[in-house]
Amino acid sequence: MKASLGFYSTLFLMLAAAALAGCARTQPSRFYVLTAVSEAETPVTGDFSRNGKTIGVGPVEIPSYLDRPQIVTRTGPHEIELAEFDKWAGSLKENTTTVLAENLSTLLSTDQVYVFPWRTGISIRYQVTIQILRFDAVPGEGVALDAHWVILGDDGRRMLLMRGSQVRQPIPGTGYNDIVAAESLALGRLSRDIASALQTLSE
C-alpha cells in the first residue's frame, strides 16, 4: 500500500511539474491593426466632395495565405512564417479595406467615401476595386506591396482607368510593431497613387 501511495505521489508531482512548465512557456498573444495616414498628411487636392464626387472602395482582394489571424512574414523566396503570438485584431482584408478608405478620405479632403458593400441608394461616382497581389514583409528589411487597381464610373458600369502600383517600404526594426507600421505606410503610398488618379479624373 505504501508503495502504491509513493507511486501515485511521484506521478502527481511529475504531472504538476509538467503543467507548470507548460504554463511557464505560454506567452500572451499580442494583437495589431493597420492604421491610416495622419490627418496632417498633405492632401492631393482641395475639396473633392463638391458636385457629388462620391467614392466607393472595394471589393479589395488580398492573397489567401495572408488572410489569417497570424501575422505572416517572409523568410525566404519560397517560405513564410506564421507568428505564434502576434496576430491581427480582426480580419486583415477588412482592416486593409477600411484603411484604404480612410486614407482616400484624408488625401482627397472628403467624407464622401464608402466601403463596399455600401447601402442601397448611395450613388457612387467613382468606384475603386483593388487586387493586392503581394504584401510581403521581411523583418529588418522591408515591405513589398504590389497591387492592380481599377477605377470605375457610373456606379461601377464603366471602366475609367486601370493601373498597377509597386511600393517598397523599409522596415526600421525586426519587431512586429515595426512590421505593421511599415505595412501601414505602404498602404498609405498606394492610397496616394489612387488619390492622385482620382483627382486627375475629376478635373
Side-chain angles (χ1 to χ4, degrees):
M1 185 67 174
K2 289 182 179 179
S4 297
L5 288 174
F7 171 79
Y8 286 115
S9 296
T10 302
L11 180 61
F12 174 80
L13 290 173
M14 291 174 62
L15 291 174
L20 288 172
C23 291
R25 287 195 298 269
T26 301
Q27 300 180 25
S29 294
R30 294 171 291 269
F31 296 92
Y32 302 82
V33 292
L34 297 165
T35 54
V37 298
S38 167
E39 293 290 337
E41 185 83 14
T42 305
V44 300
T45 182
D47 185 4
F48 189 87
S49 62
R50 291 177 297 178
N51 301 322
K53 296 176 182 177
T54 52
I55 302 168
V57 178
V60 175
E61 298 296 332
I62 67 173
S64 59
Y65 69 88
L66 295 176
D67 198 17
R68 59 179 67 242
Q70 302 91 339
I71 293 180
V72 177
T73 53
R74 185 166 287 279
T75 57
H78 311 292
E79 186 176 357
I80 60 174
E81 182 175 277
L82 276 62
E84 185 174 1
F85 301 109
D86 298 88
K87 303 177 182 181
W88 296 111
S91 163
L92 176 60
K93 181 177 178 179
E94 291 179 3
N95 190 192
T96 300
T97 304
T98 300
V99 166
L100 288 167
E102 291 177 355
N103 287 347
L104 291 178
S105 178
T106 297
L107 294 170
L108 293 170
S109 302
T110 178
D111 58 0
Q112 300 299 307
V113 180
Y114 302 91
V115 172
F116 182 87
W118 36 85
R119 298 190 310 272
T120 303
I122 295 178
S123 179
I124 299 297
R125 178 75 173 273
Y126 300 107
Q127 179 180 353
V128 184
T129 65
I130 303 163
Q131 182 183 18
I132 294 178
L133 306 173
R134 181 183 183 192
F135 200 13
D136 292 337
V138 179
E141 295 186 19
V143 172
L145 170 59
D146 297 342
H148 288 163
W149 44 276
V150 175
I151 299 177
L152 306 169
D154 298 333
D155 281 319
R157 292 187 293 269
R158 182 165 61 98
M159 188 176 72
L160 303 176
L161 184 68
M162 178 187 294
R163 285 190 183 169
S165 293
Q166 292 186 332
V167 177
R168 299 295 180 265
Q169 179 66 44
I171 302 176
T174 57
Y176 283 96
N177 194 58
D178 300 314
I179 292 169
V180 174
E183 289 176 332
S184 297
L185 290 173
L187 285 178
R189 292 173 59 184
L190 170 61
S191 302
R192 183 168 284 277
D193 287 350
I194 297 170
S196 296
L198 284 166
Q199 173 61 19
T200 299
L201 286 172
S202 70
E203 292 175 350

